[in-house]
Amino acid sequence: MTDGRAAEHFAHSEEPLLGREADLERLDGFLAGIPRQGGGSLVVLGDPGVGKSALLAEAVRRAEAAGLRVLQAAGVQYRAQTGYGALQQLLTPVPEIQSRAARSPVLAGALGFERGTAPGPDAVTEAVVALAAELSHDMPTLLVLDDAQWLDRAGAVVLGQVARRLAGTGTGLLCAARPGAESFFDHSGLPSHELGPLGEAAAGELLGRRFPEMASGVRRRLIAEAEGNPLALLELPAALNESQRIASQALPARIPLTERLRSTFAARIRTLPPLTRHLLLVAALEGSGNLVVVRRAGAWGHALKYLVPAERARLVRVDETAGRLAFRHSLIRSAVVELSTGDQRRTVHRALAEAWYGVPEQRAWHLAQAAVEPDEGIAELLEETAEVAAHRGDGPNAVAALVRAAELSPAGSGYARRLAKAAYVGANLTGSVRDVPRLLDDARQAAPDAESPAVAVAAALHLLNSYGDIDTAHRLLSGAIALQPEPYDLSDVTLLEALSTLFMVCVHAGRPELWADFDATLAKCTSVPDTVRLMRATFGDPVRARPADWARLDAAVRALPGTPDPVRIVRIATAGAYADRLGAIEEPLLLTARGGLRGENIFPAIQASFLWASHAWFTGQWPELRRVAHQGLRWCEDLDYPLRSWTGKFVLALTAAACGDFEDARGFADQMDQWAGSRRGRAVRCYAAHARTLIALSQGDFEAAYRHVCTISPAGTFAPFAGHALWAILDLAEAAVRTGRRQEAVEHVRAARDAGLDAVSPRLRMVLLGSAALAAGSGAAAARSFDRALAVEGAERWPFDHARIRLYYGERLRRGRSSARAREQLAAAAEAFRRLGARPWAERADAELRACGAPARARDLPALTPQQREIASLAAAGLSNKQIAERLFLSPRTVSTHLYQAFPKLGVTSRAALRDALEQLEQLDG
């Protein structure tokens, strides 16, 4: 039963509390102990807005469901405090309890039922404890107090004593209070539970449920601002308009607080002395928590003593030993700023600019915030700051600096150029390609006749990444570069970015005439950076790279660890992708990819994810490949980067084809062909052709495999600018030999060796030796070539290619009647394929083993494909087919088909039995 004036305070929705499982478990234990152990008290402590009231409301619901009587009271800030007001809330709303209380002379006097001398707190405490024991004889009782720090003095004193005397009465007291707040309710020494902020996953789910249409980038920003505070998570979106929530309009630099948030976080600030509030404003605008700078900008020699009231109010933490100041919540910082005037903020920013005089980046920011009129000097300082930030991978700050620099630009052309630069830096780093049209529109309105590489780069990035408009992007970039004075000076960051973007246009087009234009442009440049030269030589057309190019690449790879610039990491990794150099920079790649999980530098994170996934394909890390590639695809979908998604879909298609998930592999290939056709995107068509080649090889359709692989590059040749052909050498050799085109295989190996590819990497040397052995037919020469291929140093690092060569060797040995040696190679191949989950290839090796006299392999494990196992695991976790499809980028129908195939393999007939069946399978695997 719950009644009374506090009922509205404890109202709650039917939605479950997210991320509070451990907290609810603690409450359940407390509630269970009331009837079992005779009662007791528990104090829930937490900062404003953290969800104490919601937790208490859930406790009330659970207590009532368990058969407890619940009496409630709540403190209210600033309300006129009547004597024993909290006791009146608890004991008077229910007539039965009121009548029992009225029979006690002490309570009758305290609650105003009888006139006379008010009883003392000790007597009232005794009477309340006695009444609680009496009530609990009929039914276990729970007293619930919310916002205990605001209870009236008399009631708070009594209830603080009652809380210590409830053991054995059959009554429990549950209260919520703010730690460190001035209060008449003394909870010191009572059992307590601290309610912390929500975790990132729960915060994201809460925002997703309440604001399902919110863009992912906006969601990440609000999660960071709220720091796990549920009230902030629900209130901050209300301060944004619809366009800002869906990311069609940029978010403000500082998200304003709603009135509810302002009152929650600002109440304690208003009561502070003026000098304390001034120092808090200095600290809030300084941002880094550097006490030396705060003291210097505060203008007082002993400024830190004025922070003591703020520390007592639990607004900040000051560590003089470490020289740091930290706000207890970022929204306290926001409230401090919002309670100040514009003049006060500008004055503090000017003081901070002086305090940071020796640090140009910090000084520029504070000067910019203090400026009220255009100032080219400050704009130039900010633009330099943006370049520094971009090089260290700080995309959001680089974009913010450029936008503010544009606002401070006196001339329209400067405004336009800097906005366009902000657009392309954002698209290249933060993943904000959707902001590009808005920024470019603003730039064109300010300077309709201005032509600059910055505008061309921003527009080209948008056209290329959002629409795949390769030809228009090429025209924009080539035209903008041609307008610059020759020779082209690539110390101009924007011009360098134009050339780098033009390079990626040529890569996706794969057309010699576009590459000819690029090379002509490159010849007119001075001091070309190593990233551009390397990408052109070792990725643009790796077959024609020279030994000196590979040497320069290796030097760049060795120098890469520790580099903070995610763009450089991605570009060096791109240069080394076809040459198997990604293993040497695996850590920087993964760090860049993981940055996307924190909302940092999303575009490089997408590229790094797919680059690493291509490395994982060759090195057999297929389960992790799927996880990383799917994460990259989610970012592509969230941020509208369809062009970049094809690399991720390509590696997933290869993995699906090798594992026998042919429907998924064909689906990816169909999507790639459909997208690439009208756009003349040869690179993506090569991806599709390679996927179809491996599907056909896995199914034994060698004629189809040969037809598909030759669309990448014809047998016996390596077409210009078809670097992807380096990844399909073994595929072409097998398809050619299996279809009676042995001479074509021989010529292809010869062409690769003539290009020096066997010296490029150990994997390519292994592949070429294996391909040569295939092409050689039977005999001692073939055997020697197979042995040399398998003996390449570290050959086992590339398990799929290695196992394929073992399979081919075993087949030759069996046909040469060397059964014992054949079984050795075939058994090793079959085991490697099984570890990878390459089911069709394992079955092929098993068939060869049986043909040379080995016993049939016992079917000791269900033959789930990796895709089936992943889908079954998600279904066992409770996800619907639609949810699984969205997570794995499949159709619900495909998910249903996989589950239909997996059920009989696992011996189950329903989703409910999946978990136990999968656990049993894991034990067998172990």
Side-chain angles (χ1 to χ4, degrees), residues 528-549:
V528 178
D530 63 335
T531 52
V532 176
R533 287 201 183 278
L534 285 173
M535 287 193 300
R536 169 61 184 88
T538 63
F539 187 77
D541 196 5
V543 174
R544 288 156 189 84
R546 298 165 300 175
D549 296 320

Side-chain angles (χ1 to χ4, degrees), residues 479-833:
I481 294 172
L483 291 174
Q484 306 308 305
E486 297 181 16
Y488 303 136
D489 181 7
L490 294 188
S491 63
D492 180 338
V493 174
T494 303
L495 193 56
L496 173 59
E497 200 58 46
L499 191 67
S500 299
T501 307
L502 184 62
F503 170 81
M504 293 312 301
V505 169
C506 294
V507 166
H508 286 289
R511 289 178 239 147
E513 64 273 17
L514 268 60
W515 279 112
D517 289 345
F518 178 86
D519 289 339
T521 300
L522 196 64
K524 299 174 184 177
C525 295
T526 60
S527 303
V528 178
D530 63 335
T531 52
V532 176
R533 287 201 183 278
L534 285 173
M535 287 193 300
R536 169 61 184 88
T538 63
F539 187 77
D541 196 5
V543 174
R544 288 156 189 84
R546 298 165 300 175
D549 296 320
W550 301 118
R552 281 197 296 272
L553 173 63
D554 288 333
V557 165
R558 285 193 297 270
L560 199 58
T563 300
D565 184 351
V567 174
R568 180 172 177 81
I569 289 169
V570 165
R571 287 176 178 171
I572 294 297
T574 299
Y578 287 136
D580 304 306
R581 298 309 198 268
L582 297 182
I585 51 176
E586 193 168 4
E587 184 177 353
L589 270 180
L590 285 174
L591 286 173
T592 303
R594 289 172 190 146
L597 297 173
R598 302 187 296 272
E600 300 170 0
N601 305 315
I602 300 292
F603 186 51
I606 292 171
Q607 296 169 287
S609 296
F610 296 154
L611 282 163
W612 183 86
S614 67
H615 166 69
W617 158 251
F618 287 111
T619 54
Q621 303 174 70
W622 293 359
E624 189 68 5
L625 177 158
R626 294 185 184 92
R627 188 189 67 77
V628 172
H630 281 306
Q631 177 59 68
L633 290 179
R634 282 191 285 273
W635 285 327
C636 287
E637 186 174 33
D638 288 346
L639 299 170
D640 194 22
Y641 279 102
L643 177 72
R644 294 296 177 178
S645 72
W646 300 122
T647 313
K649 291 179 179 179
F650 162 66
V651 290
L652 288 172
L654 289 186
T655 311
C659 292
D661 297 323
F662 300 126
E663 184 178 351
D664 294 343
R666 285 196 193 92
F668 285 130
D670 288 345
Q671 292 174 32
M672 288 186 264
D673 274 333
Q674 184 179 5
W675 185 90
S678 61
R679 295 171 175 85
R680 298 199 296 161
R682 175 162 172 72
V684 178
R685 293 193 69 181
C686 286
Y687 292 164
H690 195 171
R692 295 190 193 281
T693 299
L694 195 56
I695 293 169
L697 289 175
S698 299
Q699 292 183 314
D701 187 352
F702 301 112
E703 187 62 42
Y706 185 79
R707 185 174 66 252
H708 290 308
V709 75
C710 285
T711 65
I712 300 172
S713 185
T717 65
F718 285 86
F721 313 110
H724 198 87
L726 270 67
W727 285 356
I729 293 172
L730 190 59
D731 301 319
L732 191 148
E734 180 181 12
V737 170
R738 303 286 185 189
T739 57
R741 298 178 174 94
R742 190 175 304 278
Q743 187 58 36
E744 283 85 341
V746 169
E747 291 171 0
H748 202 66
V749 172
R750 183 184 298 119
R753 284 177 170 164
D754 289 346
L757 296 184
D758 50 352
V760 168
S761 77
R763 189 192 70 83
L764 281 171
R765 184 159 57 254
M766 179 188 74
V767 163
L768 282 173
L769 286 165
S771 299
L774 264 175
S778 58
R784 283 195 301 271
S785 194
F786 275 125
D787 287 334
R788 289 176 61 200
L790 297 174
V792 167
E793 183 179 357
E796 296 84 358
R797 285 181 293 170
W798 307 286
F800 186 55
D801 286 342
H802 189 256
R804 286 173 66 180
I805 293 171
R806 280 188 178 275
L807 171 63
Y808 306 148
Y809 194 10
E811 290 173 340
R812 292 294 174 82
L813 289 170
R814 183 181 73 78
R815 286 163 178 75
R817 302 187 183 280
S818 298
S819 298
R821 293 177 62 202
R823 283 195 293 270
E824 178 186 351
Q825 296 297 336
L826 292 169
E831 182 57 32
F833 288 138

Side-chain angles (χ1 to χ4, degrees), residues 371-403:
V372 292
E373 295 179 350
D375 188 312
E376 179 62 22
I378 297 176
E380 288 178 359
L381 286 175
L382 276 179
E383 190 168 2
E384 293 170 7
T385 292
E387 291 178 7
V388 171
H391 278 302
R392 68 166 179 260
D394 188 353
N397 266 340
V399 172
L402 286 165
V403 170

Side-chain angles (χ1 to χ4, degrees), residues 107 111 135 252 294 297 328 373 376 467 564 667 684 689 754 839 873 887:
L107 290 180
L111 299 175
L135 292 172
V294 170
R328 289 189 175 271
E373 295 179 350
E376 179 62 22
Y467 302 107
V684 178
D754 289 346
R839 179 174 52 82
S873 298
R887 179 171 294 192

